[in-house]
Amino acid sequence: MLERRNPIPVQTAVNRVSEYINPLETTIKNLDDSDGYILAEAIIADHDVPPFDRSPYDGFAIVASDTAFASREHPVSLEVIEKIGAGDVAENKVVPGKAIRIMTGAALPQGADAIVKLELTREEGPNILINRPFKSGDNLSLQGEDARKGTKLLDSGKVITPGVKAVLATFGYARVKVYKKPKVGVIATGSELLDVEDELVPGKIRNSNAYMVLSQIKRAGGEPFHLGRLPDDFDASFEAVKEGLSMVDVLITTGGVSVGDFDFLPDIYKKLGAEVLFNKIAMRPGSVTTVARLGNKLLFGLSGNPSACFVGFELYTAPYIKGLQRHQKPYLSKINAILTHDFPKANPFTRFVRANIHWDGGTGPMVSPVGLDKSNAVVSLAETNALMVLPGGTRGYQKGDHVDTLLLFGEGSEHFDVENLSNHRI
Ligand code: AMP
Ligand code: MG
């Protein structure tokens, strides 16, 4: 008899997965190799930045009061007593009537309290002429103006980006403490699947899901492992899933989770003794997305349908992979955007429409559904950079309506919320 499955709301499914996040251990990475890892320590300034007063320009370090009466008609003449470049420290003090030639980034010489840009001076033998007054403090880059010693600059849980690396390097982190990346295995199931390099033959298609999911794992900050492609055969699949699970922290399968005669994943979970957290979600596409737990590992049974597989990964698997590394913002962030085309389909369940969000032309974010909106579509995924959320129980939407849209790029969000949407119609 066909098993009946009870669909649970998307929000409940996301929350349920989050209960099983056991963060991974930390490790030490060389700064050079740390891109995309998540910081496992807060970064506190152990010195001021900049660490000394310095010149932001090429010019002259002077005593500002020397210029109090300087004008075009009566320029003040100062004797240049020394020249220093970035990295140098002046040997002399600047005293009234004197100046030191200074380059960008060089430490402010003692006695000087202003910098005059090179362009605002004229040379006259060993002297310079200045034809306007400067105030004490003019054009200085002051010690600690960027960051004060003792300030917390970055929290643990932050993704290491180019900007974060600049901060780490500034404070001498040649090695940095990060969370280990979860090892995430992918097994594609389906007797119809060919390898990428295979020629097409009747009845068969190429395995696109494995490559898509491997790439999604990387984007989510996991370490992907391609564990192969399986025919729809219970014993072979059982062994492969069991062995795969022993090698990784998270195991993803695609295909074989529905109720077809050759959908063996439900029986595999049973034989493994895995607890099924849910196997039906009130969403389109991807309602068959299944998550099971064995020990402290989760198995994500994603649909074989490429679009459903894609959406299932982004909603449930990506936040889990990020959560294992205590990512500050593991969820997709949401933005309200204007729909550019009619979307006449009704939404019996919450629908995640593969979409492209764009904001060229100064109109604010606009969202366009991309191509074929069917769970088995694959080509439209190439343009997908967002998922438009249409709540269950709503009729079709129209061009000009405002719809909440989950972004597949950017910083992410601390929370996931598809229950409080600000969709509205024109
Ligand atoms: P399933 O979830 O196994 O019932 O598969 C649903 C649909 O997705 C079928 O049309 C499959 O042929 C297709 N499919 C399954 N696995 C893949 C894959 N790895 N790559 C591309 N399409 C797939
Ligand atoms: Mg299948």
Side-chain angles (χ1 to χ4, degrees):
M1 211 185 79
L2 197 62
E3 167 207 8
R4 281 196 75 80
R5 296 181 178 182
N6 283 329
I8 63 169
V10 174
Q11 188 73 44
T12 308
V14 168
N15 294 347
R16 206 165 279 178
V17 170
S18 74
E19 288 164 22
Y20 293 89
I21 294 174
N22 298 307
L24 295 173
E25 291 165 11
T26 61
T27 182
I28 303 289
K29 281 273 152 195
N30 285 328
L31 183 59
D32 263 344
D33 304 325
S34 67
D35 297 79
Y37 279 85
I38 310 288
L39 276 182
E41 57 184 328
I43 305 300
I44 301 185
D46 67 353
H47 61 73
D48 287 338
V49 181
F52 47 84
D53 294 341
R54 64 186 177 182
S55 175
Y57 302 119
D58 293 326
F60 294 90
I62 63 160
V63 177
S65 57
D66 278 352
T67 62
F69 302 105
S71 66
R72 218 171 267 276
E73 297 73 37
H74 303 287
V76 63
S77 176
L78 302 176
E79 184 195 350
V80 180
I81 54 170
E82 193 182 341
K83 175 162 131 179
I84 59 168
D88 295 339
V89 176
E91 283 169 12
N92 297 289
K93 252 180 101 161
V94 177
V95 293
K98 313 285 182 191
I100 288 182
R101 172 94 169 93
I102 190 167
M103 311 305 155
T104 304
L108 187 71
Q110 277 187 30
D113 64 352
I115 301 290
V116 181
K117 280 187 183 178
L118 184 66
E119 305 87 287
L120 298 179
T121 64
R122 246 180 321 128
E123 251 179 272
E124 192 185 60
N127 284 32
I128 49 160
L129 298 178
I130 298 173
N131 64 14
R132 47 157 279 206
F134 287 84
K135 293 191 306 296
S136 179
D138 274 355
N139 299 326
L140 298 185
S141 165
L142 293 175
Q143 174 171 346
E145 70 178 6
D146 201 348
R148 281 257 169 242
K149 179 176 176 173
T151 314
K152 194 208 284 184
L153 300 175
L154 303 172
D155 267 321
S156 171
K158 192 150 183 75
V159 187
I160 299 180
T161 58
V164 168
K165 286 180 93 169
V167 173
L168 292 172
T170 298
F171 290 97
Y173 287 82
R175 292 156 71 67
V176 53
K177 190 170 165 194
V178 297
Y179 287 98
K180 284 187 174 167
K181 282 179 183 269
K183 296 186 168 72
V184 188
V186 180
I187 296 175
T189 73
S191 296
E192 73 281 31
L193 300 179
L194 298 170
D195 278 331
V196 187
E197 58 274 12
D198 292 340
E199 287 295 328
L200 286 182
V201 292
K204 307 267 185 185
I205 59 169
R206 292 196 186 95
N207 170 13
S208 56
N209 287 350
Y211 296 93
M212 173 181 80
V213 172
L214 290 164
S215 177
Q216 286 176 293
I217 293 167
K218 270 189 226 164
R219 183 161 75 178
E223 189 185 348
F225 289 85
H226 195 175
L227 302 179
R229 175 171 66 74
L230 294 171
D232 293 312
D233 170 87
F234 181 83
D235 294 325
S237 301
F238 176 77
E239 288 307 324
V241 168
K242 195 173 157 196
E243 199 199 329
L245 200 52
S246 70
M247 294 159 55
V248 295
D249 300 307
V250 185
L251 184 66
I252 298 173
T253 54
T254 82
V257 275
S258 11
V259 292
D261 292 350
F262 301 105
D263 290 328
F264 291 125
L265 262 300
D267 292 332
I268 290 173
Y269 298 138
K270 206 175 280 171
K271 188 166 172 187
L272 282 170
E275 172 200 359
V276 172
L277 307 186
F278 50 83
N279 60 10
K280 189 86 179 168
I281 308 167
M283 66 184 268
R284 292 274 188 278
S287 65
V288 298
T289 306
T290 299
V291 179
R293 177 185 70 90
L294 188 64
N296 62 356
K297 292 183 185 175
L298 292 194
L299 296 96
F300 288 82
L302 304 180
S303 168
N305 282 311
S307 282
C309 179
F310 180 90
V311 170
F313 181 94
E314 295 298 342
L315 294 184
Y316 307 104
T317 319
Y320 183 69
I321 291 173
K322 292 177 179 177
L324 290 178
Q325 303 167 81
R326 286 193 190 272
H327 192 303
Q328 276 172 349
K329 297 178 176 178
Y331 297 107
L332 299 175
S333 50
K334 196 167 67 179
I335 193 170
N336 198 257
I338 299 173
L339 187 54
T340 61
H341 293 78
D342 290 347
F343 190 86
K345 267 192 200 173
N347 306 293
F349 297 104
T350 304
R351 194 186 293 282
F352 295 89
V353 183
R354 276 80 69 214
N356 185 274
I357 196 156
H358 44 102
W359 48 85
D360 25 314
T363 47
M366 310 287 286
V367 63
S368 311
V370 288
L372 185 64
D373 186 68
K374 285 188 169 180
S375 63
N376 56 9
V378 65
V379 170
S380 56
L381 289 169
E383 296 304 323
T384 301
N385 66 3
L387 301 170
M388 194 165 88
V389 191
L390 307 181
T394 55
R395 57 195 162 80
Y397 278 76
Q398 277 181 345
K399 176 177 175 171
D401 287 347
H402 293 244
V403 287
D404 272 357
T405 303
L406 299 172
L407 302 178
L408 297 174
F409 55 90
E411 283 216 343
S413 170
E414 281 175 50
H415 307 286
F416 181 83
D417 181 2
V418 290
E419 301 208 315
N420 300 292
L421 297 174
S422 37
N423 290 13
H424 60 272
R425 299 167 190 277
I426 50 167

